[in-house]
Amino acid sequence: MTSQYGLVDVTLRDAHQCLWSTRMTTPMMTPILSAIDQVGYAYINILGGAVFDVQVRFLRENPWERVGLLCSQLRTPCDGLTRGQSLYTFELFPDDVVALNSKVLARRGLKVLTVYDALNDMRNIESSVRSAHEAGMQVNAMLVYALSPVHDDAYFAQRTRALLALKADFISIKDPTGMLTVKRARTLFPAVVAAAAGTPVQLHTHCQSAEAPDVHTVAMRCGIRYGHTAVQPLANGASLPAAEDVDDRARALGVHTGIHRSALAEVSAYFALLAEREGKPRGRPQPCDPALFEHQVPGGMISNLKSQLAAMQMGHRLPEILEETARVRRDLGYPILVSPFAQYIVTQAVLNVVQGERYKTIPDEVRRYALGGYGRLAAEPSAEFMARARIRPHDVCTAVPAAALQPALPRLRQQLGASASDEHLLLAAFYDRSFIDALQPLPTPPRLSTTPLMELLRFLESRTDLQRASVRYAGAEITLSG
Amino acid sequence: MSTASPNAGPLSFQDVLQLVELIQSSSRFSELKLRSSGLEIELRRAGPATPSVAPASAPAPSPAGMPEQGTAPAPQPPAAEKQAQVLHTPPGAHVVTAPMMGTVYRAPEPGAAPYVQPGQHVEAGQQVCIIEVMKLMNAVHAEHAGVVSQVLVADGQVVDFGQPLVVISPV
Amino acid sequence: MHPTAAPRPLTRVLVANRGEIAVRIHRACHELGLPTVQVYSEADRDSMAVQMADRAVCIGPARSSDSYLRGDLIVQAAQALGADAVHPGYGFLSENAGFARLCEASGLTFIGPPADAIATMGDKARARAMAREAGMPITPGSSGTLADAAAARAVAAELGYPVILKAVAGGGGRGMRVVHAEADLAGHFDTAVHEARAAFGDGAVYVEKFLTGIRHVEIQILSDGDTVLHLGERDCSSQRRNQKLVEESPCPALSPAMRQAMGDAAVHLARHVGYRSAGTIECIVDPASDVFFFMEMNTRIQVEHPVTECVTGIDIVKEQIRIAGGGRLTMRQADVQTQGHAIECRINAEDPQRGFAPSPGRITSLHFPGGPGIRVDSHLRAGMQVVPFYDSLIAKIIAWGRDRDEALARLRRALAELQVEGVATTAGFIARLIDSEAFRRGAVHTRFVEAFMQEQAA
């Protein structure tokens, strides 16, 4: 039994990624930062692949600025998540880009770099870990949990040992589809904690199966030291469990989280108000759908898939596609359905269903995956698939994918000139110029505080159906008329 | 009474959230007053006072207890704005005004013919309408004989004491 | 007793009424620690009841049929603003079984009797039948509704004239016609049917013997569904046009034996009907023959409930709310004791000089009486409007004394202290009424006020 269980807040990253299509903007976050600092979190997760990408493509915000602003305003240490060698996208980048990314993040104030590889091929995170350490950050290396015949406790214990060898400061169990059950946790967690040999272990699990809060209880009992949570209005369903629920369970076990509930309640209320004002959904516990354990599609993806299918008038074929996803997964050697492979597998499933013939069309990424282009597979793909893809055993590559990549920075520096900043270089490595040019600066000065009254007024102003609102408080009267 | 309410602690985000949730859940009502932790809020929404939801099975009015006004399904009274109308009356006309504040009914009962119509000849003392106040019906009469030249109010309209109702021009 | 779903404790009460009774309900809820919601019409926007609630919503324009009678909007308001119970007050929807059922169907606790009891006792003919079944004497009359004037004539012939024609769906003193001779019966019958249909939507009529020199005495009932108690009687004979003006308890003309008999009969009837919550069984007492008859039952809190509260010390509205939330009556009938004497008078915004014409308007100055034994129930303050859309009640002034003389002396004093400016009131008229020799003697009957007025005019 652990005596301390620190909470890692994902409200500013994973939570809205799952529930709000990643659309939380920096101005929505800054007013509540000082209140978030009062809650007593161990770490605050502020960056992740989808967040970086959505900021540039849709919000027109400079992601480095958000990192810098948040880290400078928060005393609680912040962590950022990358997809290992793929960083914030689905391509693979050479080591020099990965190293520069670590340097830039550290310079902006990030304290912990969290990395994972979608295939649990730990070779793909080596350069991230090394460069993060060199830049002065700690590293949280994640094991991605999946359910399959090959992903047994021994498999995860072995991967844990590989992470130890990399000198990770933290080891996390990441369960993006909420498939961890209490039953499985009871054997898996001790195996991982034992293999971690003293390195603190963290638990990051989503709520699709509704067991997540209870899985955290098992984690506490097994000596795991940190749990990832979100505030209530952005918790549950496809997101992570509510900090309130996990803290309740800790208190029931006599485990200390360091959370101040009244501060947490205020921060929670702020985000609930934000949801109401912006017309965004609030997280609700959802009952477990047993099919989840078959298709295993991550929460963040299902809503995207639904809207894409709806746009193609194919919304009714969702169940069929999810079933086919399970089959494709088996055929491809049990890739874990986390980005980027979740997208590839689901795309293949959609193609299989729409075309009426399995593997009639195989996207390049799927082929590349089967050829080992992303890393070592957990198991061999099926013979049927390999035949349809016309891949023979000796075609499969076993080298570290990034090893083949040429350094990209020299070319970029030449293109952009010597005066280009590191941050600009990195953006150019990831995006077309048009996206970079479209980025807007954040409002200055940023709104760094707010009050309940101000949030009420902002809500009232946002309502188009209100003709008139009159607010009386503390001797003052404020009238808003539409 | 907005004297110190028992829970007048400092306003918190949770208090505001509760108010916002109430505002959202009562979106079909056009006017709302809420109070919490020392904050008072009054809202008016655009649109008619009665929500668009039709009465499901409109219950019959209470038969007992306080005398209820009749079930006259008169049309909605027009907007309560008083028009600052300049009354043009023919010379020698007399204007029948409301002897009290209340609701005007132009007919003895719903569906019946109105007491008077424009162009109609009336005798001195003839009833021109009813004004209903606190469930009591009060007959209003023309003082002089003549011809009804204008009826200035609609059935079911709320009128003030002294408000012009009917103009009667001399024969 | 009829089995009902287990009551849940209440957390927030919606007051589905206005004026002084709404204020009364807010007060009871405050004492019980229950927050309240007020629904209001546009005319009541600045009313005291709205100020007493911390959640209030406008449900329509001034007309009752567009606001306080809109049960559907009231239920929606309760659901939107987090109320789990509704108190209907008196009038409006308080005796509307459909509304009570709508509340229950919507998951709201209706603070009052079961819908079936409301339906049964709201139908005057069925109520008389229930009273008869429960062994309570009923005014001699038709046992059901009358099919036509001929049927009416047949019953009237048996009863003997004068008789009174009453609307089955009527109440509160409306829809009644006295017939003194057989020759007038057919004409009155047709008119009664026509009026009943126009006023209540139902033209059914029944006939009773018309008794004179009688007193109107009502018994207050309180039941939690198992324990049924009566809280004594109120004499409400002082009426003008069947509207009560002055009420008192105990009734000065009731013998202890009669009081006991009436109380027991009322309890028995309430039990027979499966009654729960507060209710009033109105009777006619004929002092000449020392008998009482069931007249009707009001399945709600009554305007004059403060009279009983003063002599028994029982807070009837609080008990209604407690019972609705599953509370039990802990007292037994023997524990219900009356002390002293209480008299209530209703002060209306009417001008006795102009035939009691309603006198709405703005109250420019208002001073309520105080001192020992005086209770004032009102919803008005200086500066507030008396609106013309509802009833004309300004305030109820209740005086309690150790005996009737002291209560009367206090009431007289209180009426003298009362000051209302801006609207005409009946205060002066009431003061003279209670000062009349007949009232001081306690010799009131249902024609007493009329006789008093004729006397005054002469």
Side-chain angles (χ1 to χ4, degrees):
Chain A
M1 170 85 82
T2 206
S3 62
Q4 308 248 42
Y5 196 70
L7 297 194
V8 177
D9 179 47
V10 304
T11 305
L12 303 180
R13 203 281 297 177
D14 208 356
H16 68 95
Q17 183 175 318
C18 292
L19 300 180
W20 294 6
S21 305
T22 326
R23 295 302 197 271
M24 194 185 285
T25 65
T26 306
M28 290 179 192
M29 301 175 185
T30 55
I32 202 64
L33 292 177
S34 57
I36 292 179
D37 246 349
Q38 308 300 318
V39 176
Y41 293 119
Y43 296 93
I44 297 175
N45 177 224
I46 62 167
L47 183 69
V51 163
F52 195 102
D53 202 48
V54 167
Q55 276 193 273
V56 170
R57 287 185 196 277
F58 298 104
L59 302 181
R60 302 210 209 284
E61 287 186 3
N62 184 322
W64 310 123
E65 280 184 31
R66 180 188 287 185
V67 173
L69 186 51
L70 264 45
C71 289
S72 65
Q73 293 302 322
L74 288 167
R75 278 196 304 266
T76 311
C78 295
D79 92 89
L81 175 74
T82 71
R83 297 171 180 150
Q85 209 72 26
S86 297
L87 291 174
Y88 312 110
T89 71
F90 300 138
E91 308 170 37
L92 286 170
F93 292 97
D95 287 348
D96 63 343
V97 172
V98 170
L100 187 60
N101 179 68
S102 293
K103 220 165 111 189
V104 162
L105 288 176
R107 203 184 295 145
R108 279 290 196 171
L110 202 69
K111 294 290 187 290
V112 180
L113 183 71
T114 300
V115 284
Y116 73 98
D117 177 70
L119 292 174
N120 280 333
D121 183 345
M122 300 315 179
R123 300 174 303 167
N124 287 333
I125 69 170
E126 275 177 38
S127 68
S128 298
V129 176
R130 200 172 40 243
S131 60
H133 278 147
E134 273 165 27
M137 294 190 287
Q138 289 186 307
V139 170
N140 177 7
M142 300 185 120
L143 303 161
V144 184
Y145 175 75
L147 191 58
S148 89
V150 304
H151 291 90
D152 54 13
D153 292 352
Y155 167 96
F156 287 108
Q158 194 223 32
R159 293 297 187 280
T160 305
R161 283 188 287 273
L163 292 176
L164 264 194
L166 289 179
K167 301 196 180 31
D169 302 281
F170 304 95
I171 291 171
S172 288
I173 301 170
K174 176 184 165 81
D175 174 22
T177 351
M179 286 193 304
L180 266 174
T181 58
V182 165
K183 188 169 168 204
R184 180 65 194 275
R186 285 195 182 123
T187 59
L188 177 65
F189 291 174
V192 169
V193 170
T199 302
V201 178
Q202 303 191 8
L203 173 62
H204 174 108
T205 176
H206 291 240
C207 294
Q208 289 90 333
S209 68
E211 287 202 43
D214 293 327
V215 170
H216 278 273
T217 303
V218 177
M220 291 174 213
R221 286 191 203 279
C222 294
I224 291 180
R225 301 262 285 282
Y226 299 92
H228 292 212
T229 61
V231 292
Q232 178 81 51
L234 277 138
N236 293 309
S239 179
L240 279 77
E244 292 86 343
D245 289 340
V246 175
D247 183 60
D248 282 344
R249 280 166 170 72
R251 282 165 199 262
L253 289 178
V255 172
H256 184 248
T257 59
I259 296 298
H260 301 116
R261 289 299 285 266
S262 51
L264 176 60
E266 284 293 90
V267 171
S268 249
Y270 170 87
F271 282 103
L273 282 169
L274 181 65
E276 292 298 325
R277 186 175 86 229
E278 300 291 328
K280 300 275 192 240
R282 286 205 242 171
R284 305 225 176 282
Q286 69 190 43
C288 176
D289 175 12
L292 166 72
F293 288 88
E294 279 306 312
H295 66 68
Q296 302 188 16
V297 179
M301 278 204 66
I302 297 216
S303 56
N304 284 341
L305 185 57
K306 271 189 198 163
S307 32
Q308 281 163 22
L309 289 177
M312 300 190 294
Q313 319 285 0
M314 275 181 41
H316 58 285
R317 302 193 80 171
L318 178 67
E320 214 183 319
I321 288 166
L322 291 177
E323 261 188 59
E324 177 63 15
T325 303
R327 278 194 286 271
V328 170
R329 230 183 103 247
R330 277 198 298 279
D331 282 339
L332 292 180
Y334 302 109
I336 295 161
L337 283 190
V338 69
S339 311
F341 298 115
Q343 283 86 334
Y344 305 157
I345 301 311
V346 172
T347 304
Q348 180 73 69
V350 171
L351 285 168
N352 287 1
V353 164
V354 165
Q355 297 187 322
E357 197 188 314
R358 309 187 75 234
Y359 306 115
K360 179 169 172 187
T361 303
I362 297 176
D364 286 345
E365 289 87 352
V366 175
R367 181 180 298 278
R368 191 170 155 199
Y369 157 88
L371 286 168
Y374 295 103
R376 205 176 331 183
L377 306 187
E380 275 181 28
S382 71
E384 183 207 345
F385 170 80
M386 292 302 240
R388 293 295 308 234
R390 284 200 276 276
I391 296 173
R392 288 155 301 170
H394 67 260
D395 292 328
V396 176
C397 170
T398 54
V400 176
L405 295 173
Q406 296 301 315
L409 292 179
R411 175 184 50 85
L412 285 166
R413 285 213 172 86
Q414 205 176 44
Q415 273 174 11
L416 299 172
S419 58
S421 66
D422 289 343
E423 293 183 356
H424 190 182
L425 279 177
L426 285 173
L427 284 177
F430 305 142
Y431 298 106
D432 252 7
R433 171 137 178 214
S434 57
F435 285 109
I436 303 171
D437 290 344
L439 298 184
Q440 309 283 333
L442 290 174
T444 42
R447 276 182 75 230
L448 292 174
S449 67
T450 186
T451 63
L453 182 63
M454 275 169 65
E455 291 307 308
L456 174 63
L457 295 175
R458 293 183 73 193
F459 170 80
L460 294 173
E461 277 166 352
S462 74
R463 297 296 96 177
T464 50
D465 63 334
L466 286 183
Q467 202 176 53
R468 194 174 176 278
S470 145
V471 178
R472 268 186 293 281
Y473 183 66
E477 172 150 6
I478 300 147
T479 305
L480 309 166
S481 29
Chain B
M1 274 301 305
S2 26
T3 48
S5 47
N7 60 330
L11 191 65
S12 69
F13 284 111
Q14 292 175 84
D15 295 324
V16 170
L17 177 63
Q18 192 179 60
L19 289 170
V20 164
E21 284 172 337
L22 290 173
I23 292 171
Q24 299 283 60
S25 66
S26 57
S27 56
R28 53 191 54 200
F29 294 101
S30 66
E31 189 177 317
L32 193 64
K33 298 188 188 205
L34 299 172
R35 195 160 65 215
S36 171
S37 289
L39 179 142
E40 285 175 39
I41 173 169
E42 267 181 56
L43 299 179
R44 303 259 175 110
R45 289 187 168 95
T50 21
S52 52
V53 179
S57 48
S62 167
M66 301 305 299
E68 281 303 307
Q69 75 162 282
T71 51
Q76 282 279 11
E81 273 79 60
K82 291 180 248 298
Q83 293 134 336
Q85 64 181 144
V86 178
L87 199 51
H88 295 291
T89 57
H94 93 269
V95 180
V96 180
T97 59
M100 60 188 58
M101 192 182 166
T103 306
V104 169
Y105 294 118
R106 291 197 51 204
E109 56 183 40
Y115 287 105
V116 295
Q117 294 275 38
Q120 186 178 332
H121 182 94
V122 296
E123 300 297 330
Q126 183 168 341
Q127 184 169 354
V128 298
C129 66
I130 291 174
I131 293 204
E132 180 254 318
V133 183
M134 301 189 194
K135 272 82 67 78
L136 297 183
M137 306 293 177
N138 302 279
V140 180
H141 305 105
E143 263 182 56
H144 307 295
V147 175
V148 175
S149 70
Q150 289 180 69
V151 174
L152 300 166
V153 290
D155 197 52
Q157 183 176 336
V158 174
V159 296
D160 275 340
F161 172 76
Q163 183 164 339
L165 304 173
V166 176
V167 180
I168 299 180
S169 50
V171 165
Chain C
M1 296 283 120
H2 298 191
T4 48
R8 311 161 295 247
L10 310 185
T11 61
R12 187 181 297 272
V13 175
L14 183 143
V15 181
N17 211 297
R18 59 169 304 282
E20 69 88 17
I21 193 64
V23 169
R24 176 73 187 88
I25 299 166
H26 284 290
R27 284 176 171 156
C29 289
H30 276 132
E31 288 177 28
L32 291 169
L34 283 172
T36 50
V37 176
Q38 177 69 47
V39 293
Y40 60 95
S41 75
E42 289 171 3
D44 285 327
R45 187 174 280 143
D46 300 317
S47 65
M48 190 178 286
V50 168
Q51 289 169 22
M52 291 176 87
D54 48 30
R55 298 180 188 178
V57 62
C58 179
I59 56 169
R63 278 158 64 96
S64 312
S65 52
D66 295 326
S67 51
Y68 296 107
L69 291 174
R70 285 289 300 271
D72 60 323
L73 295 181
I74 291 169
V75 166
Q76 282 173 29
Q79 291 166 334
L81 293 182
D84 56 6
V86 176
H87 196 308
Y90 52 64
F92 293 128
L93 296 171
S94 62
E95 285 174 292
N96 188 304
F99 177 64
R101 289 201 182 99
L102 178 63
C103 287
E104 296 297 337
S106 313
L108 302 170
T109 301
F110 178 81
I111 300 176
D116 289 341
I118 297 178
T120 302
M121 298 316 270
D123 177 333
K124 301 304 171 223
R126 279 178 67 198
R128 281 164 58 83
M130 292 298 263
R132 195 172 355 100
E133 278 173 28
M136 195 168 199
I138 56 176
T139 31
S142 61
S143 45
T145 43
L146 301 164
D148 53 28
R153 192 177 309 120
V155 177
E158 269 186 51
L159 299 174
Y161 289 84
V163 297
I164 178 165
L165 295 166
K166 289 185 173 179
V168 164
R174 296 185 69 200
M176 305 201 254
R177 294 188 143 260
V178 180
V179 183
H180 291 278
E182 180 167 327
D184 307 325
L185 181 62
H188 278 303
F189 182 84
D190 289 336
T191 317
V193 169
H194 178 80
E195 276 181 3
R197 190 171 296 127
F200 308 113
D202 179 356
V205 154
Y206 66 105
V207 66
E208 284 179 354
K209 176 111 186 94
F210 184 62
L211 301 162
T212 53
I214 50 173
R215 302 179 82 115
H216 174 147
V217 179
E218 58 191 32
I219 310 287
Q220 177 69 52
I221 290 290
L222 190 61
S223 162
D224 64 10
D226 286 325
T227 306
V228 183
L229 305 172
H230 74 85
L231 305 184
E233 82 281 5
R234 293 182 294 260
D235 183 323
C236 306
S237 309
S238 301
Q239 303 179 5
R240 184 189 148 259
R241 296 209 191 152
N242 299 308
Q243 301 297 309
K244 297 168 188 169
L245 298 180
V246 183
E247 307 99 351
E248 62 183 301
S249 179
C251 167
L254 224 52
S255 65
M258 178 82 111
R259 181 172 288 117
Q260 170 104 30
M262 289 180 78
D264 290 345
V267 167
H268 197 73
L269 173 57
R271 211 185 282 285
H272 181 64
V273 169
Y275 202 74
R276 196 177 61 241
S277 190
T280 297
I281 291 174
E282 303 201 340
C283 301
I284 288 174
V285 170
D286 186 9
S289 46
D290 211 31
V291 292
F292 72 94
F293 300 109
F294 170 83
M295 196 166 57
E296 62 184 41
M297 180 173 189
N298 296 327
T299 57
R300 55 173 165 82
I301 189 77
Q302 204 105 332
V303 176
E304 59 272 21
H305 72 273
V307 171
T308 300
E309 292 188 328
C310 282
V311 293
T312 61
I314 295 169
D315 186 321
I316 299 175
V317 178
K318 271 204 317 205
E319 289 304 318
Q320 278 187 302
I321 298 169
R322 280 189 51 250
I323 286 167
R328 311 305 253 155
L329 288 171
T330 47
M331 59 193 126
R332 301 279 148 252
Q333 189 66 57
D335 302 322
V336 178
Q337 307 274 352
T338 55
Q339 262 199 314
H341 198 102
I343 310 177
E344 169 185 287
C345 62
R346 305 188 191 189
I347 307 299
N348 293 326
E350 289 166 359
D351 191 347
Q353 311 279 29
R354 296 193 301 135
F356 291 86
S359 170
R362 181 176 299 280
I363 295 180
T364 52
S365 135
L366 182 60
H367 173 81
F368 282 129
I374 299 299
R375 165 175 168 174
V376 178
D377 279 21
S378 173
H379 58 295
L380 293 168
R381 264 203 306 277
M384 282 184 162
Q385 286 271 31
V386 176
V387 294
F389 308 103
Y390 313 107
D391 60 77
S392 59
L393 184 61
I394 289 185
K396 299 176 327 205
I397 305 203
I398 306 102
W400 179 88
R402 287 165 299 178
D403 53 36
R404 190 172 189 270
D405 286 339
E406 185 171 57
L408 199 46
R410 286 181 169 161
L411 188 61
R412 195 178 300 125
R413 164 178 72 68
L415 287 171
E417 286 178 26
L418 174 69
Q419 285 173 27
V420 185
E421 272 160 48
V423 299
T425 76
T426 52
F429 172 79
I430 301 287
R432 285 191 305 279
L433 184 76
I434 64 170
D435 217 27
S436 67
E437 201 252 322
F439 192 91
R440 277 189 279 122
R441 271 189 299 120
V444 292
H445 54 84
T446 53
R447 312 295 300 283
F448 154 71
V449 173
E450 206 184 296
F452 168 79
M453 288 176 67
Q454 280 166 2
E455 213 178 287
Q456 297 277 295

